[in-house]
Amino acid sequence: MEDIINAVKHNKLFENMDTEEIKMVLKCSKAVVSDFHDNQVIFEKDDEIKKMGIVIEGQLNLVSQKYNGTRVIVTTLEKNDLFGEALAFSTLQESPYDLVSSGDSKALIIPHSIFFTMCRDACDFHKTLISNMLAILSDKIVMLNKKMNILNAETLRGRISVYLLSIHKKTKSLIFDMPMKRQELAEFLNVKRPSLSRELSNMQQEGIIEVYRSTVKIKNIERLKELAD
C-alpha cells in the first residue's frame, strides 16, 4: 500500500491530502492495482465506464478508431496521468475511445462511486476529493482546446509547429524530447508516418529544427511561430 501511495500522492486528485487521507480514499473506494501487457485493450469505445485510473508505470493511449480502420491517438497517458475521470459526473458513461496499453503498464483503478457515496465515518477528505476532481475536469477542457488548436492548423507543417511550440512552452527549453514515438505522433496529428517524417526532414533541412531520434532542437523559433499562425 505504501508503494502505491508514494506513486500517486503527487497526482492532482490527492492535492491537499496527507498520506493517511490518501490511504482512506483507496480503502473507502476499494481501489485496486491492475497490470496490462503491450497492446492490451483496457476498455473499448462504447463500453460503460464506472471506474477511473491513475497510470503508475508505462504508457496508455486513448485511441479513436475510424470506420476505415485508421487509428488516431487522441492523447498519450504517462505516469501519474488520469483516465476515465471525464465520465465520473457524466450522464453518458460510454467511452468515446479505446484505451490501449503501449508496452507493459500498471494502473491504480478507482471506482467512480467514491464521488457519490459517503463512507460511514463521513470522512472530511470527500470534499477535498470532489473539489480536486472538478479542477482536473476544468484543466481537461483547456487541454482539449489546445488539441483543437493543433488540428485546426491548415497544413501538416503548421500542426507540427503548434505541437513543438506547445512542448517548448511547457519545458521552457529549445531542446526537448518528444513524449510520443514517431508513429504515435503521426496518429496524434492525424497523418501517415512517412508524411510526418518527410515534413520533419524538410523543416530540418531549412534550419527550422534539428531532429535526432526523439530529441528536437528548435533552431529558428521565429520561423516556427510564423508557421504556427
Side-chain angles (χ1 to χ4, degrees), residues 53-77:
I54 302 175
V55 180
I56 297 176
E57 294 178 7
Q59 291 184 336
L60 307 177
N61 288 330
L62 276 175
V63 179
S64 176
Q65 189 85 26
K66 295 185 177 181
Y67 288 107
N68 63 6
T70 304
R71 298 170 69 251
V72 178
I73 293 179
V74 178
T75 190
T76 295
L77 305 172

CSV table of all heavy atoms in Angstrom, one decimal, residues 53-77:
chain,number,residue,atom,x,y,z
A,53,GLY,N,-8.8,5.7,-13.4
A,53,GLY,CA,-7.5,5.1,-13.1
A,53,GLY,C,-6.4,6.2,-13.1
A,53,GLY,O,-6.5,7.2,-13.7
A,54,ILE,N,-5.3,5.8,-12.5
A,54,ILE,CA,-4.0,6.6,-12.5
A,54,ILE,C,-2.9,5.7,-13.0
A,54,ILE,O,-2.7,4.6,-12.4
A,54,ILE,CB,-3.7,7.1,-11.1
A,54,ILE,CG1,-4.8,8.0,-10.5
A,54,ILE,CG2,-2.4,8.0,-11.1
A,54,ILE,CD1,-4.6,8.5,-9.1
A,55,VAL,N,-2.2,6.1,-14.0
A,55,VAL,CA,-1.1,5.4,-14.5
A,55,VAL,C,0.0,5.4,-13.5
A,55,VAL,O,0.5,6.4,-13.0
A,55,VAL,CB,-0.6,5.9,-15.9
A,55,VAL,CG1,0.6,5.1,-16.4
A,55,VAL,CG2,-1.7,6.0,-16.9
A,56,ILE,N,0.5,4.2,-13.1
A,56,ILE,CA,1.6,4.0,-12.2
A,56,ILE,C,2.9,3.8,-12.9
A,56,ILE,O,4.0,4.3,-12.6
A,56,ILE,CB,1.3,2.9,-11.2
A,56,ILE,CG1,0.1,3.3,-10.3
A,56,ILE,CG2,2.5,2.7,-10.3
A,56,ILE,CD1,-0.3,2.2,-9.4
A,57,GLU,N,2.8,2.9,-14.0
A,57,GLU,CA,4.0,2.6,-14.8
A,57,GLU,C,3.6,2.5,-16.2
A,57,GLU,O,2.5,2.1,-16.5
A,57,GLU,CB,4.6,1.2,-14.3
A,57,GLU,CG,5.2,1.2,-12.9
A,57,GLU,CD,5.7,-0.1,-12.5
A,57,GLU,OE1,5.8,-1.0,-13.4
A,57,GLU,OE2,6.1,-0.3,-11.4
A,58,GLY,N,4.5,2.8,-17.1
A,58,GLY,CA,4.3,2.6,-18.6
A,58,GLY,C,3.4,3.7,-19.2
A,58,GLY,O,3.3,4.8,-18.6
A,59,GLN,N,2.8,3.4,-20.3
A,59,GLN,CA,2.0,4.4,-21.1
A,59,GLN,C,0.7,3.8,-21.6
A,59,GLN,O,0.7,2.6,-21.9
A,59,GLN,CB,2.8,5.0,-22.3
A,59,GLN,CG,4.0,5.8,-21.9
A,59,GLN,CD,4.6,6.4,-23.2
A,59,GLN,OE1,4.5,5.9,-24.3
A,59,GLN,NE2,5.3,7.5,-23.1
A,60,LEU,N,-0.3,4.6,-21.6
A,60,LEU,CA,-1.6,4.2,-22.2
A,60,LEU,C,-2.0,5.2,-23.2
A,60,LEU,O,-1.7,6.4,-23.1
A,60,LEU,CB,-2.7,4.1,-21.1
A,60,LEU,CG,-2.4,3.3,-19.8
A,60,LEU,CD1,-3.6,3.4,-18.9
A,60,LEU,CD2,-2.1,1.8,-20.2
A,61,ASN,N,-2.6,4.7,-24.3
A,61,ASN,CA,-3.1,5.6,-25.4
A,61,ASN,C,-4.6,5.6,-25.5
A,61,ASN,O,-5.2,4.5,-25.5
A,61,ASN,CB,-2.5,5.1,-26.7
A,61,ASN,CG,-1.0,5.4,-26.9
A,61,ASN,OD1,-0.5,6.3,-26.3
A,61,ASN,ND2,-0.3,4.5,-27.6
A,62,LEU,N,-5.2,6.8,-25.5
A,62,LEU,CA,-6.6,6.9,-25.9
A,62,LEU,C,-6.6,6.9,-27.4
A,62,LEU,O,-6.0,7.8,-28.0
A,62,LEU,CB,-7.2,8.2,-25.3
A,62,LEU,CG,-7.6,8.1,-23.8
A,62,LEU,CD1,-8.0,9.5,-23.3
A,62,LEU,CD2,-8.7,7.1,-23.6
A,63,VAL,N,-7.4,6.0,-28.0
A,63,VAL,CA,-7.3,5.8,-29.4
A,63,VAL,C,-8.7,5.9,-30.0
A,63,VAL,O,-9.7,5.3,-29.5
A,63,VAL,CB,-6.8,4.4,-29.8
A,63,VAL,CG1,-6.8,4.2,-31.3
A,63,VAL,CG2,-5.3,4.3,-29.2
A,64,SER,N,-8.8,6.7,-31.1
A,64,SER,CA,-10.1,6.8,-31.8
A,64,SER,C,-10.0,5.9,-33.0
A,64,SER,O,-9.0,6.0,-33.8
A,64,SER,CB,-10.3,8.3,-32.2
A,64,SER,OG,-11.5,8.4,-33.1
A,65,GLN,N,-10.9,5.1,-33.2
A,65,GLN,CA,-10.9,4.1,-34.3
A,65,GLN,C,-11.9,4.5,-35.3
A,65,GLN,O,-13.1,4.6,-35.1
A,65,GLN,CB,-11.3,2.7,-33.8
A,65,GLN,CG,-11.1,1.6,-34.8
A,65,GLN,CD,-9.7,1.1,-34.8
A,65,GLN,OE1,-9.0,1.1,-33.8
A,65,GLN,NE2,-9.3,0.5,-35.9
A,66,LYS,N,-11.4,4.9,-36.6
A,66,LYS,CA,-12.3,5.3,-37.6
A,66,LYS,C,-13.0,4.1,-38.3
A,66,LYS,O,-12.5,2.9,-38.1
A,66,LYS,CB,-11.6,6.1,-38.7
A,66,LYS,CG,-11.0,7.4,-38.1
A,66,LYS,CD,-10.4,8.2,-39.2
A,66,LYS,CE,-9.9,9.6,-38.7
A,66,LYS,NZ,-9.3,10.4,-39.7
A,67,TYR,N,-14.0,4.3,-39.1
A,67,TYR,CA,-14.7,3.2,-39.7
A,67,TYR,C,-13.9,2.5,-40.7
A,67,TYR,O,-14.1,1.3,-41.0
A,67,TYR,CB,-16.0,3.7,-40.4
A,67,TYR,CG,-17.1,4.1,-39.4
A,67,TYR,CD1,-17.4,5.4,-39.1
A,67,TYR,CD2,-17.8,3.1,-38.7
A,67,TYR,CE1,-18.4,5.7,-38.2
A,67,TYR,CE2,-18.7,3.4,-37.7
A,67,TYR,CZ,-19.0,4.8,-37.5
A,67,TYR,OH,-20.0,5.1,-36.6
A,68,ASN,N,-12.8,3.2,-41.3
A,68,ASN,CA,-12.0,2.5,-42.3
A,68,ASN,C,-10.8,1.8,-41.6
A,68,ASN,O,-9.9,1.3,-42.3
A,68,ASN,CB,-11.4,3.6,-43.3
A,68,ASN,CG,-10.6,4.6,-42.6
A,68,ASN,OD1,-10.3,4.5,-41.4
A,68,ASN,ND2,-10.2,5.6,-43.4
A,69,GLY,N,-10.8,1.7,-40.3
A,69,GLY,CA,-9.8,1.0,-39.6
A,69,GLY,C,-8.6,1.9,-39.1
A,69,GLY,O,-7.7,1.4,-38.4
A,70,THR,N,-8.5,3.1,-39.6
A,70,THR,CA,-7.4,4.0,-39.2
A,70,THR,C,-7.5,4.3,-37.7
A,70,THR,O,-8.6,4.6,-37.2
A,70,THR,CB,-7.5,5.3,-40.0
A,70,THR,OG1,-7.5,5.0,-41.4
A,70,THR,CG2,-6.3,6.2,-39.7
A,71,ARG,N,-6.4,4.3,-37.0
A,71,ARG,CA,-6.3,4.6,-35.6
A,71,ARG,C,-5.7,6.0,-35.4
A,71,ARG,O,-4.7,6.3,-36.1
A,71,ARG,CB,-5.4,3.6,-34.9
A,71,ARG,CG,-5.9,2.2,-34.9
A,71,ARG,CD,-4.9,1.2,-34.3
A,71,ARG,NE,-4.7,1.4,-32.9
A,71,ARG,CZ,-3.6,1.9,-32.4
A,71,ARG,NH1,-2.6,2.3,-33.1
A,71,ARG,NH2,-3.4,1.9,-31.1
A,72,VAL,N,-6.3,6.8,-34.6
A,72,VAL,CA,-5.8,8.1,-34.3
A,72,VAL,C,-5.6,8.2,-32.8
A,72,VAL,O,-6.6,8.1,-32.0
A,72,VAL,CB,-6.8,9.2,-34.8
A,72,VAL,CG1,-6.2,10.6,-34.4
A,72,VAL,CG2,-6.9,9.1,-36.3
A,73,ILE,N,-4.4,8.5,-32.3
A,73,ILE,CA,-4.2,8.7,-30.9
A,73,ILE,C,-4.7,10.0,-30.5
A,73,ILE,O,-4.2,11.1,-30.9
A,73,ILE,CB,-2.7,8.5,-30.6
A,73,ILE,CG1,-2.2,7.1,-30.8
A,73,ILE,CG2,-2.4,8.9,-29.1
A,73,ILE,CD1,-0.8,6.8,-30.6
A,74,VAL,N,-5.6,10.1,-29.6
A,74,VAL,CA,-6.2,11.3,-29.1
A,74,VAL,C,-5.2,11.9,-28.1
A,74,VAL,O,-4.9,13.1,-28.1
A,74,VAL,CB,-7.6,11.1,-28.4
A,74,VAL,CG1,-8.1,12.4,-27.8
A,74,VAL,CG2,-8.5,10.5,-29.4
A,75,THR,N,-4.7,11.1,-27.2
A,75,THR,CA,-3.7,11.5,-26.3
A,75,THR,C,-2.9,10.3,-25.7
A,75,THR,O,-3.5,9.2,-25.7
A,75,THR,CB,-4.3,12.4,-25.1
A,75,THR,OG1,-3.2,13.0,-24.4
A,75,THR,CG2,-5.1,11.5,-24.2
A,76,THR,N,-1.7,10.5,-25.2
A,76,THR,CA,-0.9,9.5,-24.6
A,76,THR,C,-0.8,9.8,-23.1
A,76,THR,O,-0.5,10.9,-22.7
A,76,THR,CB,0.5,9.5,-25.2
A,76,THR,OG1,0.5,9.1,-26.5
A,76,THR,CG2,1.4,8.5,-24.4
A,77,LEU,N,-1.2,8.8,-22.3
A,77,LEU,CA,-1.2,8.9,-20.8
A,77,LEU,C,0.1,8.3,-20.3
A,77,LEU,O,0.4,7.2,-20.6
A,77,LEU,CB,-2.4,8.3,-20.2
A,77,LEU,CG,-3.8,8.7,-20.8
A,77,LEU,CD1,-4.9,7.8,-20.3
A,77,LEU,CD2,-4.0,10.1,-20.4
